Amino acid sequence: MSLLLQRRLLCTNVHKKWKVKQVTKTNFQESLKELETHVSNSDFVAVSMEKTGSFSASWHRVLPFDTVEIAYCKARHSAERFQLLQFAVCPFSIADSNKFIANPYNFLLFPRDELRTGMPSYNFSCQTSHLTSMAREGFDFNACIYDAGVSYLSRVQESKAKMQIGNYMPCPNVNNSSSTSTTADTVFVERIKSRIKYWIKSCEKCGKSTSKDDALLASLRKIVMGSEMFGSRHCLTIDVCSDRQVQLILEMLVNFPNVVPLLVPGKGNTALAICLVLMKSKEDKDLFERERQKLEEEENKKLRGFREVIELISASQKPVLFHKCLDDCAFIHSKFIAPLPSEVNEFINSFRSVFSHVIDVNHMMKKFEAVRNMTSISAALLYLKNHFFATVDVEIPDQATTNGGKNDGLDALRICYLFMKICSILKISPCVTESGNKHLAAELQDFTNVFHPWTADSRELADESISIWANNTRKVNSEQLVFLWGVQFRITASMLKNLLQESHGIFSREFDVKLVDKDCAIVVFWEPGLSKAFINAMSNEQISGLLRELVSNGLRVASYDTYRTVCRLGLWEANLSESLDGALEKSDGEFSNICCHNDNVMNLDNR
């Protein structure tokens, strides 16, 4: 029986009773309330995502010889290029060491500009293999794009949207200004005070008027005074030119207890105007504050959309489980928080301010040496099933709430299941003594906040030691590695190694060869200094023998720094050799016109 068939049978037989609640626009709000309760009562939250693609060439994925910096460059490229269509969330609590209680949800997403603010407005790529796989599993693209997919804005986009739609904002607390008042300040305050007094008197007279003539005069008075209506209450808008004027008006309004000020936001953190709302009584003022807060929260929910889920998980401070931590965290940051920063340190600090503790179950699988290169959840479960006896029971109390028997979003549940299996086999206690991250088992802390899939501890960001093979823990400094390409015929790693041994005396020392893709290989010199010597030999005019013949036929070499430059500047060609050629041939500052292309990726202009 083939391994692929075994994996499918495992997922079908073990998980055939699992049901996931499908969430669309129609049931989003009610599901959000349920999810809030489930997250609050959970010990962990597992998440998984379905994207329009991940990488368009084999070398674009994070490889064992990538430093943390380069791994982040690749994850950022993927997150900025592709789009999320599904986001599965599964809060679960530990019943005992062999049982967990799960409440899985699967959210259908689409970045639709529902508020006509121009956001989100993405151009994103779709990888045909991903779309084909989703279609085979029954994903409804029509429902997602037309009406069922829940839209969202990131935190940064929400701030911009609020300025565009001109939502009123509550004024800050008044602090007496320490600066000395000028003559201009005094004149400004007296003018505004006089205007407010006259406006209040006009509103009071308008309320007492009963005849048609008085109603006409009241209407004319409103026009002259610029008075408007804020719901059922009178309001007056006063334009401001500076924060100083805002401060002066707020200080002066202490003398008008029945007037509530609201800021009209402008660009940046400035205010365009202050809207003064006239209250009828203290009770009316309290009612207005409650109405305003409720209206503001409703508007904010419309702006945030699905991001309400992200904020809910963030506020809970529960540990969050991922299967591909770096990739998924980059997507979450890009879509729901802010544009991804250029530096990995800044990204990690920013992301940890949202999710303080993340656990990568794929990194936990690295404890099993035989499967250090395994990246599939189903393959990992199959391996553990065939090699270890570890019974895990799952209870899903809300199965009856699922829609139509769909099983989209099962990966989040599988992550929970895999996590419990690993904990059982490794004798790690998954129990949380109290709610919160500080009470995780000590063994789990070793798998927490590790953002590089192949590095034992990505918190050591300055470490240039890298692995070459997924199943070999031997480390080497990145300076001892070179990239080789331009061999005119298809060749295996062992054949290339033999060819190099015959070409130059440098290769009499210990070295290894690994193919990166069909056209490019890496050469690892286990002794320091040999990589630089080899690069110098390649450019030496006195080169002779087989190495000279190889160079004449197109053999090229580049240092690890060149590879780092390729990734930092985004030279994402389909073949690594083309990207390295571009980095070597282009001088500094000439990278702006280089773009990536791939026949298997199509660009969708979401207008």
Side-chain angles (χ1 to χ4, degrees), residues 122-398:
Y122 296 131
N123 295 328
F124 58 87
S125 298
C126 291
Q127 203 167 347
T128 53
S129 59
H130 273 246
L131 298 186
T132 302
S133 176
M134 292 174 69
R136 286 199 190 107
E137 294 174 4
F139 184 80
D140 191 342
F141 290 97
N142 283 331
C144 175
I145 295 172
Y146 284 114
D147 58 358
V150 183
S151 189
Y152 56 85
L153 291 180
S154 70
R155 289 180 176 179
V156 170
Q157 290 169 336
E158 180 186 357
S159 297
K160 292 180 180 178
K162 284 181 177 179
M163 291 187 293
Q164 287 187 25
I165 62 181
N167 277 357
Y168 294 103
M169 298 173 60
C171 290
N173 294 328
V174 179
N175 295 318
N176 290 330
S177 177
S178 58
S179 59
T180 304
S181 296
T182 63
T183 303
D185 290 343
T186 303
V187 172
F188 174 78
V189 170
E190 290 301 321
R191 180 169 60 85
I192 298 300
K193 184 187 295 185
S194 176
R195 183 179 173 187
I196 293 174
K197 287 180 178 179
Y198 191 71
W199 166 63
I200 293 175
K201 288 181 181 179
S202 300
C203 292
E204 291 173 349
K205 289 180 181 180
C206 181
K208 296 176 181 179
S209 299
T210 55
S211 68
K212 294 182 179 179
D213 291 339
D214 287 338
L216 178 59
L217 290 173
S219 298
L220 292 173
R221 190 179 293 112
K222 285 182 184 179
I223 295 173
V224 173
M225 294 303 300
S227 183
E228 303 167 356
M229 297 300 291
F230 193 97
S232 61
R233 299 172 179 89
H234 294 282
C235 69
L236 176 68
T237 301
I238 300 175
D239 295 330
V240 292
C241 301
S242 64
D243 292 337
R244 175 62 176 167
Q245 290 186 350
V246 173
Q247 177 72 18
L248 291 171
I249 292 174
L250 295 182
E251 291 176 3
M252 180 262 295
L253 286 176
V254 176
N255 300 316
F256 298 93
N258 285 340
V259 174
V260 175
L262 298 174
L263 288 181
V264 180
K267 292 183 178 180
N269 294 321
T270 62
L272 284 177
I274 295 181
C275 177
L276 306 181
V277 185
L278 184 61
M279 302 293 113
K280 299 173 184 177
S281 62
K282 185 180 183 303
E283 291 74 16
D284 186 43
K285 185 176 182 179
D286 294 338
L287 177 61
F288 174 76
E289 285 297 329
R290 292 194 297 269
E291 291 175 349
R292 186 194 60 77
Q293 290 176 5
K294 182 178 179 181
L295 180 63
E296 181 182 356
E297 183 58 30
E298 289 176 354
E299 290 296 324
N300 288 340
K301 285 183 177 181
K302 289 180 182 178
L303 289 172
R304 289 192 290 263
F306 171 77
R307 205 186 85 240
E308 286 278 331
V309 175
I310 303 298
E311 301 293 355
L312 190 158
I313 299 172
S314 174
S316 74
Q317 291 295 295
K318 300 296 174 69
V320 183
L321 271 58
F322 295 91
H323 183 248
K324 295 180 180 178
C325 184
L326 181 62
D327 287 343
D328 290 347
C329 291
F331 266 89
I332 289 175
H333 195 290
S334 174
K335 310 306 180 189
F336 306 120
I337 303 172
L340 286 164
S342 58
E343 300 298 329
V344 62
N345 275 329
E346 188 178 349
F347 159 72
I348 291 177
N349 291 335
S350 176
F351 190 82
R352 290 191 63 185
S353 69
V354 181
F355 293 161
S356 56
H357 279 63
V358 297
I359 299 173
D360 189 348
V361 293
N362 189 41
H363 185 66
M364 295 179 74
M365 282 295 296
K366 300 293 189 293
K367 285 291 184 179
F368 306 98
E369 295 293 335
V371 290
R372 288 178 58 86
N373 62 341
M374 189 174 291
T375 58
S376 166
I377 299 176
S378 57
L381 287 171
L382 180 63
Y383 174 83
L384 296 183
K385 177 179 180 292
N386 291 338
H387 293 81
F388 301 94
F389 178 77
T391 302
V392 174
D393 294 325
V394 186
E395 180 182 339
I396 306 176
D398 296 327

Side-chain angles (χ1 to χ4, degrees), residues 511-525:
F511 77 100
D512 279 301
V513 176
K514 175 181 174 64
L515 294 180
V516 180
D517 59 17
K518 62 180 181 180
D519 297 321
C520 187
I522 54 173
V523 179
V524 188
F525 293 97

Side-chain angles (χ1 to χ4, degrees), residues 559-575:
S559 67
Y560 196 89
D561 281 340
T562 305
Y563 175 64
R564 182 183 284 108
T565 299
V566 164
C567 296
R568 284 187 64 87
L569 295 179
L571 308 183
W572 304 109
E573 299 293 343
N575 297 321

